[in-house]
């Protein structure tokens, strides 16, 4: 067994809803810890999945996810042969690190950011170099990222908006950074939350055709409300596309994932309605935090990163009040996903009470 694997700790998921309710005597639990969509998927997804004949169960699915590939290519205006599909963006993170990183190579990430990048680098026995974000506003320090590049650097990750901070970097700033990278360094821009951005030019996907060392990741788990179906895709050029298709397991998406994902992609009206609701709630919650004089980073995602002091104490108080948030990422900062309007209003009161205790 790899020594790096021996040191890994298993992911600790949140306790199931019914377990939490029973433990604290709750009638209602707002699940605001995993950045899921409280509005769920388009009704057309369920209709499409239920319409699948049982006859398909005895046969392997479409290994190229053809209808989903065509729907995503049409939506994103990219070549279908530039798309790699995975079981959530998580599988693509795993495949990218497996394909690009080697023992003793180096990978650069902002700090803080999504923990899976460093996890998979560790599995591949590569070194992760963490570059702190600007403490004042949470933005990526691009100059410091460039300065961290060495001859061993092969990969850089940039979640945009960043998770857990929610901070969004402009496309022009990312391209300016990209132009300064050696061609041997692959920049992966993880756009899991880009649907929630209310600024123009929210994606760098159009740049993939110009830069062979640029990869863009997307997921249907967040804005599309399909966390349980596990569907993600990556946009990339050759030679990485061909390599990724080779290391990807065949038939990795089931027919239900392909059919459900296609239905979600095709219902852009439903997506737009839910995104608008999240954006409205985000504005109201950030105004509340601002009015209360609390420290937070301006978010363009469906969650907010807030400085609370004793994170575990605040998180536990909120859980006992019926609000399950993420208190596991930092000792001073807490991540709260946006819920329904009613849950968000109740959370404000519970949050202030938790801070006073």
């Amino acid at each position: 067994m790899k020594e790096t694997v021996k040191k890994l700790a298993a992911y600790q998921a949140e306790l199931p809803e019914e377990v939490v309710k029973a433990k604290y005597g709750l009638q209602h639990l707002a699940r605001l810890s995993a950045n899921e969509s409280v509005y769920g998927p388009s009704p057309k997804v369920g209709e499409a999945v239920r319409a699948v004949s049982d006859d398909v169960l005895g046969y392997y699915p479409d290994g190229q996810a053809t209808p989903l590939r065509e729907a995503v290519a049409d939506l994103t205006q990219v070549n279908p042969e530039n798309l790699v599909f995975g079981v959530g963006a998580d599988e693509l993170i795993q495949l990218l690190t497996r394909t690009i990183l080697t023992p003793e190579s180096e990978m650069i990430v902002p700090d803080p950011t999504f923990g899976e990048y460093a996890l998979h680098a560790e599995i591949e026995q590569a070194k992760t170099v963490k570059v702190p974000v600007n403490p004042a506003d949470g933005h990526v320090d691009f100059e410091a990222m460039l300065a961290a590049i060495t001859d061993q650097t092969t990969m850089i990750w940039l979640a945009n908006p960043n998770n857990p901070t929610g901070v969004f970097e402009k496309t022009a700033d990312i391209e300016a950074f990209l132009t300064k990278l050696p061609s041997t360094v692959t920049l992966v821009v993880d756009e899991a939350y880009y649907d929630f951005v209310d600024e123009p030019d929210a994606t760098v996907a159009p740049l993939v055709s110009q830069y062979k060392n640029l990869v863009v990741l997307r997921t249907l788990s967040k804005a599309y409300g399909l966390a349980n179906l596990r569907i993600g895709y990556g946009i990339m050029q050759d030679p990485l596309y061909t390599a990724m298709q080779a290391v990807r397991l065949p038939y990795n998406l089931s027919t239900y994932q392909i059919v459900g994902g296609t239905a979600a992609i095709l219902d852009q009206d439903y997506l737009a309605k839910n995104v608008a609701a999240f954006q409205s709630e985000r504005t109201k919650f950030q105004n509340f935090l601002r009015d209360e004089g609390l420290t937070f980073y301006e978010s363009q995602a469906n969650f907010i990163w807030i400085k609370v002091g004793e994170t575990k104490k605040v998180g536990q108080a909120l859980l006992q009040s019926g609000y399950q948030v993420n208190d596991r990422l930092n000792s001073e900062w807490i991540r709260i996903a946006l819920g329904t309007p009613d849950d968000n209003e109740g959370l404000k009161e519970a949050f202030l009470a938790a801070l006073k205790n």
Side-chain angles (χ1 to χ4, degrees), residues 2 87 142 269 284:
K2 294 178 180 177
V87 182
F142 286 111
D269 288 342
K284 288 188 286 187

Side-chain angles (χ1 to χ4, degrees), residues 91-145:
E91 183 183 22
L92 297 168
I93 293 169
Q94 179 188 51
L95 294 178
L96 282 165
T97 53
R98 180 182 298 170
T99 302
I100 295 171
L101 296 178
T102 58
E104 310 306 324
S105 66
E106 294 181 1
M107 179 187 83
I108 301 172
V109 298
D111 185 34
T113 197
F114 189 40
E116 279 203 25
Y117 310 145
L119 167 68
H120 287 290
E122 190 170 2
I123 291 172
E124 301 304 327
Q125 303 176 70
K127 177 183 177 182
T128 297
V129 178
K130 298 181 178 182
V131 178
V133 299
N134 186 322
D137 56 18
H139 279 284
V140 170
D141 187 340
F142 286 111
E143 290 303 317
M145 296 273 278

Side-chain angles (χ1 to χ4, degrees), residues 202-218:
T203 175
V204 296
L207 299 178
V208 172
S209 62
Q210 302 173 42
Y211 299 93
K212 289 190 174 184
N213 61 331
L214 174 63
V215 176
V216 173
L217 296 189
R218 302 267 182 80

Side-chain angles (χ1 to χ4, degrees), residues 249-316:
L249 293 176
Y251 314 117
N252 59 334
L253 293 190
S254 73
T255 298
Y256 301 100
Q257 290 168 297
I258 296 168
V259 168
T262 302
I265 290 291
L266 293 177
D267 196 352
Q268 288 297 302
D269 288 342
Y270 184 84
L271 175 71
K273 180 184 71 172
N274 287 343
V275 166
F278 273 117
Q279 290 172 341
S280 175
E281 290 301 304
R282 182 177 68 207
T283 297
K284 288 188 286 187
F285 207 93
Q286 292 191 148
N287 285 341
F288 155 75
L289 294 172
R290 202 172 286 112
D291 291 344
E292 294 295 332
L294 296 169
T295 300
F296 67 98
Y297 288 155
E298 200 74 32
S299 176
Q300 282 286 330
N302 66 331
F303 57 84
I304 305 173
W305 186 237
I306 311 166
K307 190 172 185 178
V308 296
E310 297 181 67
T311 304
K312 286 293 184 182
K313 181 180 177 181
V314 173
Q316 182 62 30

